[in-house]
Amino acid sequence: MEEKVTPLFALRHSAAHLLAQAVTELYPETKLTIGPVTEHGFFYDFLPEKNFTIDDLPAIEKRMHELAKKNYEIRGGQVPKAEASALYPNNQFKQELIDGIPGETVGIYYQGDFFDLCRGGHVERLGEIKHFRLTAVSGSYWRADRSGIALQRITGIAFLTKEDMDAYFERVEEAKKYDHRTLGPELDLFSFHEESAGGVFFHPKGTKIFHELLAWSRHLQEKDGYVEIKTPLLNHESLYKTSGHYDNYKENAYEVMVEGHPHWIRPMNCPSCVLFFKQKPHSYRELPMRIAEYGLCHRYELSGVLHGLFRVRSFTQDDAHIFCMPAQLEDEIVKVLELTQKIYKPFGFTELKIAVATRPIKSMGTDEMWSQSISSLTKGLDTLNLDYEMKDGEGAFYGPKIEIQIEDRLGRLWQCGTVQVDFNMPHNFKIGVVQSDQSKAEPVIIHRAIYGSIERFMGILIEHTKGHLPFWLSPVQMTVLTITDKQEAGAREYQKQLQAAGFRVEIDASSDKISAKIRRSQLSKIPMMLVVGGREIEQGVVTVRRSDGSQESGVAIDALIEKAKEMLLY
Amino acid sequence: MEEKVTPLFALRHSAAHLLAQAVTELYPETKLTIGPVTEHGFFYDFLPEKNFTIDDLPAIEKRMHELAKKNYEIRGGQVPKAEASALYPNNQFKQELIDGIPGETVGIYYQGDFFDLCRGGHVERLGEIKHFRLTAVSGSYWRADRSGIALQRITGIAFLTKEDMDAYFERVEEAKKYDHRTLGPELDLFSFHEESAGGVFFHPKGTKIFHELLAWSRHLQEKDGYVEIKTPLLNHESLYKTSGHYDNYKENAYEVMVEGHPHWIRPMNCPSCVLFFKQKPHSYRELPMRIAEYGLCHRYELSGVLHGLFRVRSFTQDDAHIFCMPAQLEDEIVKVLELTQKIYKPFGFTELKIAVATRPIKSMGTDEMWSQSISSLTKGLDTLNLDYEMKDGEGAFYGPKIEIQIEDRLGRLWQCGTVQVDFNMPHNFKIGVVQSDQSKAEPVIIHRAIYGSIERFMGILIEHTKGHLPFWLSPVQMTVLTITDKQEAGAREYQKQLQAAGFRVEIDASSDKISAKIRRSQLSKIPMMLVVGGREIEQGVVTVRRSDGSQESGVAIDALIEKAKEMLLY
């Protein structure tokens, strides 16, 4: 068993069996495949005669409860493979599973007449499975192979107690409120349109956030000696054959015919950056070269898996490729990790979960290249006293990498940053750097992204902050709210002064009551409201009301500008 | 005759006949089509048996000279159409031309045995055609219809005197030196790569220029109340069917299949902007809404017509769509024209050549809509005392427009800006704006671009300035040049101070002689060189040397910063 059999695991694993039993009874022609435990429950993949719909779930759930009440004992154990095989005369999936299990025997477990191929780890009796719910039907593929057999997945959740299940649903409700797909349109940040599935329409406020995220990254990258390029999206597929992406990415790339030749809308920026690097010869003295591109990428995703800003068909990477000699790797890794910490810091992402993925069985390059570069990665992490775990054998075939996860306020982990060493691309593109003795040497490339996808990072931020973006990032930073019409001219004067100082300031000079104006600004999650009545105008001050409810009166505009400037990043 | 028959026109027109005569003698199976006069000479489109190559031109040119020496008289005049028709038994092109000419007669002119269909306007004898040269062979299409018959175009130049022809070639040579395709790579601004024909690879310096151009536009647009959006490139073709672009743009759009549905990589931004506008209802109080997008467009161009930054397959428009009520049109036109003048000013483009294109025969909308909007355009131009010509009947079928040409230092005109009124798209997308009485009214859309394509504008700028971009736009604004190694630390300190003040500053602390360093900076067309010797460091000053050769010594860094700030736009 790979998973640890906790009582919760046993419960969920058994719930998957119970689901399979109910489906078998209701739809006897259905073929069973696999049914693993998940983060909150379980799923089971079936090949039914006719696709399931969401409307079938209540009946299946009802049958599960009926079967649970019969309280069958779950019993079973190891049987010879031939015997197990004979139990599935018409099920190629189970046959394939049995063939794939090492050893002479496999586990078969029974509950009533129903049996399933299984490694064990159950509750004792079905009656223990009380608190569960079926939540979704979706399409899936046998062995997750898209070109293979299409299956139907029924997903459920299961808990040990009613309290746990209720708490789960509460968390789901809470998360829904702060789901970026709800908050985004509510705050007028972005929308989606059916004419462009998986493409984000950034509204003016969302566009501001996007640009501020880029500006922050640019600011720090320029200090670190990065240069920025801008390269085309539409490239001849030969570029991806050279880079080696062709075989692995073909099904994720959009193909376009141009004058009879297949081109790709680029799914990644790396090959374009290498073309730029190669356009003239380079001396070792120019290295390391840190070349950034905020590159727009398109990847073919099934419309069914698209998910707000988290999974889109087009996105912008804060990509960079560092061309350096192997001896420079460690220093560059330290610099990249420091930059990563700096970029994440103002969002409150200070706790990073880091892993180093090492050489897989199928891989290129010499042992020396691998051990030297893995040691550069770990030394770099050690230099900065960063904790990390080793993921043995989980690197790419062309080099080891560092994976960086951030933890949001809901305790969820998101992998955004990656630092990937690449021996392959310099080799494929035959990049040589002229050494001091005029000979040519092959540099390595570090691929690195910190936000990852700007779109996805924005989605994470919106949920992380529940829409209350930090002051520097807010598309509208202040609203000037007049108490009566008389203050309009004065309020506009304030707005002008604040805008001249570089702030994004709106005004609400409508004839609504001040309480309504405050409410409106709060709903728009504007960090600073500046309330202006007759006395304020007379004295040249405002009352500052923050989104947390705190308030300060008699603040002069100059003093306000000083305070607000302290909340900017640079 | 539409063209005025000047002596130069008559010469060039006759040179086209001479070319046709030479080709007919050398390649008797060639069919003649048309041969008009151009800016510097003439061309003739043929349907030859076998395509011409550049290597055929010397022989054709030789035959032209031989024929010219025979000094045939050019004679002819009007003949009945039937008679002319009988002269071209196997030439469908001439038949089509004859049929298309109004009236009962057409012109036929002879020189020796050779004759051609023609409206007249010749030199008296072929011997007058002395100073000419054939310059190019290219593909063309009958009636410029790409889906029609492919022809072969031979292009030439012709002048009245040898001096004029020599001067022309001198200008060509001069222009070649400042051709952006030469200067761009020389100044390390951009390159092209065969893997992405028609796609620009902006190097770090070119990327800076690109961003500065955007920043200048953004700065002024924000002041004018524009908001900015960011929308996806890949859209279902149904969007373009709704917008009405489908029929006219299909052959210029890149098609991509997504889940079995044809999508386009967008050739224009307008429909995406309308989707954004439509995502929520709008009240008349919100209008005018000025919505900008620096939108990346892709257009299918034959690889043969690609030309540096001037003609590419992907480019970024400084696009905006103004949604307003017809009564707001005039004010908006004035604002757009003022903005246009402001944006062009720092490039020295102060002389604008403006035309107003009015209702064509095939068009939509009522007479009232047309006359009202044309009058809004002309009134707007009058308000600003701008000269313009009327181009009767040359508007788009969906509304009138203003075309704005700029004149560069070589006297060439470039159309960059357009202001297009559109009645069609609001109609096609059924956009309604809620009026004060709750009824819905249809707004108009003003499409406007000022740079046009940022890529092309950059190309124009490079040639216009011969690579000497204005200080504010220069990717490197200053270089600090040390006289000896001893000044390196001090020079780096200067660089830091200047960078902290926001300038783009490089340092040349190599061990080369100062004259070599100055030469290098000059070749890179850096506007300000700061020469630093021991005395300068001691006194905390620099010697400022400008690219025009002027020099000022003993300038303190603070004073330099002040002066340099005056050269910025804002």
Side-chain angles (χ1 to χ4, degrees):
Chain A
M1 297 280 314
E2 286 173 19
E3 295 98 334
K4 209 174 140 202
V5 184
T6 61
L8 188 59
F9 178 90
L11 177 84
R12 289 172 173 171
H13 178 57
S14 306
H17 279 275
L18 182 58
L19 166 61
Q21 185 175 17
V23 166
T24 305
E25 289 195 13
L26 291 169
Y27 309 94
E29 295 305 314
T30 301
K31 288 184 187 170
L32 307 182
T33 74
I34 57 162
V37 164
T38 63
E39 195 184 348
H40 302 294
F42 58 93
F43 69 76
Y44 210 108
D45 280 353
F46 302 101
L47 180 65
E49 275 203 307
K50 196 172 132 285
N51 277 357
F52 297 125
T53 74
I54 194 86
D55 298 330
D56 297 325
L57 297 189
I60 300 171
E61 204 175 286
K62 185 163 169 254
R63 179 62 61 102
M64 286 170 75
H65 279 293
E66 288 162 6
L67 288 167
K69 273 194 197 133
K70 291 192 180 170
N71 204 17
Y72 292 122
E73 187 188 351
I74 303 175
R75 62 194 195 289
Q78 294 291 310
V79 301
K81 277 185 170 183
E83 197 178 306
S85 222
L87 291 170
Y88 292 105
N90 297 312
N91 187 323
Q92 73 269 39
F93 308 107
K94 294 293 188 188
Q95 295 297 348
E96 201 179 313
L97 291 170
I98 292 165
D99 291 347
I101 296 169
E104 302 300 314
T105 63
V106 296
I108 292 288
Y109 286 80
Y110 282 83
Q111 50 202 59
D113 294 341
F114 177 80
F115 60 88
D116 204 350
L117 177 71
C118 163
R119 291 178 298 190
H122 302 96
V123 294
E124 287 198 6
R125 293 185 160 271
L126 290 194
E128 294 172 45
I129 313 168
K130 287 178 184 151
H131 311 293
F132 65 89
R133 194 77 61 82
L134 298 182
T135 53
V137 174
S138 56
S140 64
Y141 292 95
W142 172 242
R143 304 281 195 197
D145 171 10
R146 272 194 205 185
S147 53
I149 303 166
L151 303 174
Q152 286 272 300
R153 174 171 301 175
I154 296 180
T155 305
I157 50 131
F159 292 91
L160 291 168
T161 66
K162 183 172 182 305
E163 290 67 36
D164 286 355
M165 189 155 89
D166 289 347
Y168 167 79
F169 281 116
E170 258 171 51
R171 282 199 308 278
V172 168
E173 280 309 303
E174 181 79 354
K176 241 187 234 168
K177 257 197 291 184
Y178 303 116
D179 189 319
H180 73 280
R181 292 170 302 178
T182 311
L183 275 178
E186 246 177 53
L187 298 175
D188 201 12
L189 304 181
F190 57 82
S191 54
F192 288 92
H193 297 269
E194 61 179 7
E195 288 84 349
S196 186
V200 191
F201 284 70
F202 283 107
H203 296 193
K205 288 181 184 176
T207 306
K208 275 270 179 255
I209 298 172
F210 194 96
H211 288 156
E212 285 299 321
L213 288 173
L214 288 197
W216 174 232
S217 160
R218 268 195 188 113
H219 172 77
L220 292 178
Q221 289 188 174
E222 277 192 11
K223 283 189 177 212
D224 266 7
Y226 283 75
V227 293
E228 186 180 335
I229 59 170
K230 190 171 149 52
T231 63
L233 269 58
L234 199 59
N235 298 292
H236 196 291
E237 68 169 27
S238 66
L239 181 61
Y240 304 99
K241 284 185 174 162
T242 305
S243 72
H245 288 106
Y246 187 80
D247 293 326
N248 297 316
Y249 262 88
K250 191 163 171 41
E251 69 173 17
N252 279 104
Y254 293 103
E255 197 184 89
V256 188
M257 292 304 286
V258 183
E259 294 185 336
H261 299 287
H263 283 58
W264 280 11
I265 312 180
R266 70 171 173 207
M268 73 288 296
N269 310 304
C270 338
S272 310
C273 181
V274 176
L275 279 190
F276 161 70
F277 182 84
K278 267 200 80 172
Q279 51 89 31
K280 63 176 183 187
H282 294 285
S283 139
Y284 73 100
R285 277 190 303 257
E286 294 173 70
L287 266 47
M289 270 178 74
R290 308 182 188 104
I291 307 169
E293 176 163 17
Y294 299 94
L296 182 60
C297 298
H298 285 75
R299 291 187 189 166
Y300 202 125
E301 299 276 5
L302 293 176
S303 49
V305 303
L306 297 172
H307 181 103
L309 298 177
F310 289 163
R311 195 133 177 203
V312 289
R313 283 178 173 162
S314 75
F315 57 93
T316 310
Q317 283 185 326
D318 65 326
D319 217 348
H321 296 88
I322 301 170
F323 293 74
C324 67
M325 299 313 294
Q328 297 171 318
L329 209 46
E330 188 183 329
D331 281 353
E332 288 306 306
I333 297 296
V334 171
K335 273 185 110 54
V336 167
L337 290 168
E338 282 177 329
L339 178 65
T340 304
Q341 289 178 308
K342 279 184 211 157
I343 286 187
Y344 288 156
K345 199 178 165 202
F347 308 106
F349 298 134
T350 46
E351 292 297 313
L352 306 182
K353 193 161 176 264
I354 299 175
V356 176
T358 64
R359 184 170 198 171
I361 293 166
K362 278 193 188 172
S363 54
M364 62 162 297
T366 63
D367 281 348
E368 198 197 333
M369 282 162 90
W370 277 89
S371 63
Q372 198 203 334
S373 55
I374 291 169
S375 120
S376 300
L377 297 183
T378 54
K379 276 188 193 163
L381 288 159
D382 292 338
T383 301
L384 298 173
N385 287 319
L386 289 166
D387 285 335
Y388 55 91
E389 60 164 329
M390 299 301 290
K391 287 192 174 173
D392 291 328
E394 293 191 26
F397 79 94
Y398 51 85
K401 70 175 166 190
I402 299 179
E403 296 168 356
I404 302 165
Q405 290 184 311
I406 53 178
E407 187 177 346
D408 72 12
R409 284 190 202 147
L410 302 170
R412 296 172 303 182
L413 291 171
W414 301 92
Q415 195 191 319
C416 294
T418 42
V419 186
Q420 167 78 56
V421 179
D422 186 346
F423 314 133
N424 190 45
M425 217 147 14
H427 177 77
N428 289 350
F429 280 94
K430 299 189 177 57
I431 300 177
V433 169
V434 182
Q435 303 288 98
S436 53
D437 63 1
Q438 301 306 311
S439 69
K440 279 201 167 184
E442 209 167 76
V444 292
I445 295 178
I446 305 171
H447 304 252
R448 52 114 285 210
I450 297 176
Y451 293 138
S453 142
I454 317 274
E455 285 79 358
R456 179 166 165 270
F457 194 83
M458 198 192 294
I460 294 168
L461 267 187
I462 292 168
E463 301 199 358
H464 171 64
T465 62
K466 301 183 176 180
H468 289 280
L469 295 172
F471 179 80
W472 65 274
L473 191 58
S474 290
V476 179
Q477 296 171 315
M478 310 176 184
T479 39
V480 188
L481 311 179
T482 53
I483 293 184
T484 74
D485 290 356
K486 286 185 193 156
Q487 291 92 46
E488 185 170 341
R492 292 207 183 274
E493 194 45 48
Y494 285 165
Q495 183 191 22
K496 255 193 215 165
Q497 287 176 46
L498 292 162
Q499 283 176 334
F503 297 105
R504 298 182 287 272
V505 187
E506 289 191 349
I507 193 164
D508 188 345
S510 65
S511 50
D512 297 332
K513 279 190 183 159
I514 185 69
S515 57
K517 296 185 187 186
I518 290 175
R519 175 89 187 120
R520 201 147 53 212
S521 284
Q522 276 170 335
L523 283 176
S524 299
K525 307 202 193 294
I526 314 249
M528 271 189 172
M529 289 161 268
L530 311 177
V531 181
V532 174
R535 212 168 49 110
E536 277 80 9
I537 297 286
E538 250 172 57
Q539 300 176 0
V541 298
V542 297
T543 296
V544 178
R545 201 185 156 102
R546 290 171 194 262
S547 53
D548 63 8
S550 69
Q551 197 162 312
E552 192 180 351
S553 56
V555 182
I557 297 294
D558 284 353
L560 174 63
I561 290 176
E562 281 314 302
K563 267 187 205 176
K565 279 198 173 163
E566 281 168 25
M567 293 191 287
L568 300 181
L569 297 182
Y570 55 97
Chain B
M1 297 282 314
E2 286 172 20
E3 296 98 332
K4 208 174 140 202
V5 184
T6 61
L8 188 58
F9 177 90
L11 177 86
R12 287 171 174 170
H13 178 57
S14 306
H17 279 275
L18 183 59
L19 166 61
Q21 185 175 15
V23 166
T24 304
E25 289 195 13
L26 293 169
Y27 310 93
E29 296 305 315
T30 300
K31 289 184 187 170
L32 308 181
T33 74
I34 55 161
V37 164
T38 63
E39 196 183 350
H40 302 294
F42 58 92
F43 69 76
Y44 211 110
D45 279 354
F46 303 100
L47 181 64
E49 275 204 307
K50 195 171 136 282
N51 279 356
F52 298 124
T53 74
I54 195 86
D55 298 330
D56 298 324
L57 297 189
I60 299 171
E61 204 174 285
K62 188 164 164 253
R63 179 63 60 105
M64 286 170 75
H65 279 293
E66 288 161 6
L67 288 166
K69 273 191 199 135
K70 294 190 181 171
N71 203 20
Y72 293 122
E73 187 190 350
I74 303 176
R75 62 193 194 288
Q78 293 292 308
V79 302
K81 278 187 169 179
E83 198 177 305
S85 222
L87 293 171
Y88 292 106
N90 297 312
N91 186 322
Q92 74 269 37
F93 307 108
K94 294 291 187 186
Q95 295 296 349
E96 202 180 311
L97 290 170
I98 292 166
D99 292 346
I101 296 169
E104 302 302 313
T105 62
V106 296
I108 293 288
Y109 287 78
Y110 282 84
Q111 49 204 60
D113 296 339
F114 176 79
F115 60 87
D116 205 349
L117 178 70
C118 162
R119 290 176 299 187
H122 302 97
V123 293
E124 288 198 6
R125 294 188 159 270
L126 288 195
E128 295 172 43
I129 312 168
K130 288 178 183 153
H131 312 292
F132 65 87
R133 195 76 62 80
L134 298 182
T135 52
V137 174
S138 57
S140 62
Y141 293 93
W142 173 241
R143 304 280 195 198
D145 172 11
R146 273 195 204 183
S147 54
I149 303 167
L151 302 174
Q152 286 272 298
R153 173 171 301 175
I154 296 183
T155 305
I157 50 132
F159 291 90
L160 291 168
T161 65
K162 182 171 182 306
E163 289 68 38
D164 286 355
M165 189 156 88
D166 289 348
Y168 167 79
F169 281 116
E170 257 171 50
R171 284 202 306 279
V172 167
E173 279 310 300
E174 180 79 356
K176 239 186 234 167
K177 256 198 290 183
Y178 303 117
D179 188 318
H180 73 280
R181 290 168 303 176
T182 312
L183 276 178
E186 247 176 54
L187 297 175
D188 201 11
L189 304 182
F190 57 82
S191 54
F192 288 93
H193 297 268
E194 60 179 7
E195 290 84 349
S196 185
V200 191
F201 285 70
F202 283 107
H203 296 193
K205 288 182 184 174
T207 305
K208 275 268 179 256
I209 298 172
F210 194 97
H211 288 156
E212 286 299 321
L213 287 174
L214 287 196
W216 174 230
S217 161
R218 266 193 190 114
H219 172 75
L220 291 178
Q221 290 189 171
E222 277 192 10
K223 283 187 177 217
D224 265 6
Y226 283 75
V227 293
E228 186 180 335
I229 59 171
K230 191 172 147 52
T231 63
L233 270 57
L234 200 59
N235 299 292
H236 197 289
E237 68 170 26
S238 66
L239 181 61
Y240 305 99
K241 286 186 174 164
T242 304
S243 72
H245 288 105
Y246 186 79
D247 292 325
N248 297 315
Y249 262 90
K250 188 161 173 44
E251 67 174 18
N252 279 103
Y254 293 103
E255 197 184 88
V256 189
M257 293 303 287
V258 183
E259 294 185 338
H261 299 287
H263 283 57
W264 280 11
I265 313 181
R266 69 170 173 206
M268 74 288 297
N269 311 304
C270 340
S272 311
C273 181
V274 177
L275 278 191
F276 160 69
F277 182 85
K278 267 199 78 170
Q279 51 90 30
K280 64 176 182 184
H282 294 286
S283 140
Y284 72 99
R285 278 190 302 257
E286 293 174 70
L287 267 44
M289 271 177 76
R290 308 184 188 99
I291 307 169
E293 175 162 20
Y294 299 93
L296 183 58
C297 298
H298 285 75
R299 291 187 190 165
Y300 203 124
E301 300 276 3
L302 295 175
S303 48
V305 303
L306 297 172
H307 181 104
L309 298 177
F310 289 163
R311 196 135 175 200
V312 290
R313 284 179 173 159
S314 74
F315 57 93
T316 310
Q317 284 185 325
D318 65 325
D319 217 347
H321 297 89
I322 301 172
F323 293 73
C324 68
M325 299 314 293
Q328 297 171 317
L329 209 44
E330 189 183 328
D331 282 353
E332 288 307 305
I333 298 296
V334 171
K335 273 186 111 54
V336 167
L337 290 168
E338 283 177 328
L339 178 65
T340 305
Q341 289 178 307
K342 278 184 211 157
I343 286 186
Y344 289 156
K345 199 178 165 202
F347 308 106
F349 298 133
T350 46
E351 292 298 313
L352 305 182
K353 195 162 173 263
I354 300 176
V356 176
T358 64
R359 186 171 196 172
I361 294 167
K362 278 194 189 173
S363 54
M364 63 162 295
T366 63
D367 282 347
E368 198 198 333
M369 282 162 89
W370 277 89
S371 62
Q372 199 204 331
S373 55
I374 291 169
S375 122
S376 301
L377 297 183
T378 54
K379 276 188 194 162
L381 288 159
D382 293 337
T383 303
L384 298 173
N385 287 317
L386 288 166
D387 284 334
Y388 54 91
E389 58 164 330
M390 298 301 290
K391 287 191 175 173
D392 291 329
E394 294 191 24
F397 78 93
Y398 50 84
K401 69 176 166 186
I402 299 178
E403 296 168 359
I404 303 165
Q405 290 185 310
I406 52 177
E407 187 177 347
D408 73 11
R409 284 189 203 151
L410 301 170
R412 295 173 303 182
L413 291 171
W414 301 92
Q415 194 192 319
C416 295
T418 42
V419 187
Q420 167 78 58
V421 179
D422 187 346
F423 314 132
N424 190 46
M425 216 145 18
H427 177 78
N428 288 351
F429 278 97
K430 300 190 178 61
I431 300 176
V433 168
V434 183
Q435 304 288 96
S436 54
D437 64 0
Q438 300 307 309
S439 70
K440 280 203 169 181
E442 211 168 75
V444 292
I445 296 178
I446 305 170
H447 305 252
R448 51 114 286 208
I450 296 176
Y451 293 137
S453 141
I454 318 274
E455 285 79 357
R456 179 166 165 271
F457 194 84
M458 198 191 295
I460 295 169
L461 268 187
I462 291 169
E463 302 199 357
H464 171 65
T465 61
K466 301 183 175 180
H468 289 281
L469 295 172
F471 179 80
W472 65 273
L473 190 60
S474 290
V476 178
Q477 298 173 312
M478 309 175 185
T479 40
V480 188
L481 312 178
T482 53
I483 293 184
T484 73
D485 290 356
K486 286 185 190 152
Q487 291 92 45
E488 185 170 342
R492 291 207 182 275
E493 192 47 48
Y494 285 165
Q495 183 191 24
K496 254 192 215 164
Q497 286 176 47
L498 292 163
Q499 283 176 333
F503 297 104
R504 299 183 286 273
V505 187
E506 289 192 347
I507 194 164
D508 185 347
S510 65
S511 50
D512 296 332
K513 280 192 183 155
I514 185 68
S515 56
K517 295 184 187 184
I518 289 174
R519 176 90 187 120
R520 200 147 52 212
S521 283
Q522 277 170 334
L523 284 176
S524 299
K525 305 199 195 298
I526 309 227
M528 272 190 173
M529 291 160 266
L530 312 177
V531 181
V532 173
R535 210 168 50 109
E536 276 79 10
I537 296 286
E538 250 172 54
Q539 299 177 0
V541 299
V542 297
T543 295
V544 177
R545 202 185 154 102
R546 290 170 195 261
S547 53
D548 63 8
S550 69
Q551 197 162 311
E552 192 181 351
S553 58
V555 183
I557 296 295
D558 284 352
L560 174 63
I561 289 176
E562 281 315 301
K563 267 187 207 178
K565 279 197 173 162
E566 280 168 25
M567 292 191 287
L568 300 182
L569 296 183
Y570 55 96

